[in-house]
Amino acid sequence: MSHGSRAMPWIVPLLWGLVGLAFVASGWQPFDRGTWVLEVTPVVIAAPLLWALRRRCPFTPMLLGLIAVHCLVLIYGGAYSYARVPLGFWLKALLGTERNPYDRIGHLAQGLVPALVAREVLIQRGVSAGRRLIGFLSVCVAMAISAWYELIEWAAALALGQGANEFLGSQGDIWDTQSDMFCAFIGALLALALFARWQDRQIAREPRWQLARPSP
């Protein structure tokens, strides 16, 4: 296996190709154009940023793949609006929930992926902290992002009034904000439990994923 194939397994460019196709397809006739714009904005920001920083701050294939999956979650939710996603209705029937739970998947990803991004950046930058402290800081970053997202939703509600209902997707749940943040917290914990060691192995495998450490 060549160096290049180890650095970028075929699944990663395939996922990002799907992101591009899904983005175009979702924007063709979304349920609500304004909601679609709001929901896919993180994708529009993240994809060019990752490309621009690919040499200065290269991420592992595992993380790039998970970011792509997160983008697909956002795009799918934006196309239908989260409260109307077909997969969510299937889960609602399967789990017997009172609401379409697809937005919970989005908030799990909102905790899981940012936690791994923060963890990888901290390790790449040579932060002098133990494994547990880096994990704690990664969870804190994920929760900060979750809190800011909820503030953005609040600002949208104030600015747009009833027009923000599709974006908020609270479905009448008065504890929606707290539930969203709790899902992000669970996602961040799952990131450390399920992916941290895999991430460590990939970082150790390739020198370029350790290149950004500052000089003493």
Side-chain angles (χ1 to χ4, degrees):
M1 183 180 292
S2 67
H3 175 87
S5 61
R6 289 199 312 272
M8 187 66 85
W10 63 270
I11 189 67
V12 177
L14 174 62
L15 284 171
W16 280 101
L18 288 175
V19 169
L21 291 174
F23 180 83
V24 173
S26 71
W28 185 253
Q29 285 186 325
F31 176 81
D32 181 82
R33 177 66 63 182
T35 298
W36 178 81
V37 170
L38 291 171
E39 298 292 1
V40 303
T41 294
V43 179
V44 175
I45 295 172
L49 189 61
L50 286 172
W51 178 258
L53 297 177
R54 68 190 184 280
R55 299 189 186 280
R56 182 179 176 184
C57 187
F59 287 137
T60 58
M62 180 207 76
L63 184 54
L64 289 173
L66 288 172
I67 294 173
V69 171
H70 190 189
C71 288
L72 290 172
V73 170
L74 293 172
I75 291 169
Y76 188 41
Y80 290 94
S81 88
Y82 279 84
R84 292 176 171 81
V85 170
L87 175 61
F89 287 125
W90 178 80
L91 289 172
K92 178 181 178 180
L94 178 67
L95 302 175
T97 59
E98 296 182 357
R99 67 194 302 278
N100 186 318
Y102 183 78
D103 63 326
R104 305 305 189 209
I105 296 174
H107 286 282
L108 278 170
Q110 190 185 70
L112 189 149
V113 174
L116 290 173
V117 171
R119 187 176 185 275
E120 194 155 306
V121 170
L122 289 171
I123 293 173
Q124 281 190 351
R125 296 292 169 177
V127 173
S128 299
R131 180 185 179 89
R132 291 183 180 179
L133 182 54
I134 286 180
F136 172 75
L137 293 174
S138 301
V139 172
C140 288
V141 169
M143 292 308 298
I145 291 173
S146 177
W148 272 107
Y149 192 83
E150 296 303 323
L151 289 174
I152 291 171
E153 288 189 341
W154 174 60
L158 293 177
L160 302 177
Q162 291 297 319
N165 283 344
E166 295 296 336
F167 177 53
L168 295 176
S170 60
Q171 302 178 66
D173 183 1
I174 62 171
W175 302 110
D176 185 65
T177 296
Q178 291 82 355
S179 298
D180 289 347
M181 294 184 67
F182 181 69
C183 285
F185 177 62
I186 295 300
L189 294 181
L190 287 174
L192 300 180
L194 300 179
F195 296 100
R197 293 189 183 278
W198 185 8
Q199 188 176 43
D200 288 341
R201 288 195 297 269
Q202 290 204 347
I203 291 173
R205 185 183 303 161
E206 295 287 351
R208 70 193 186 95
W209 294 322
Q210 307 169 42
L211 63 85
R213 298 171 182 249
S215 57

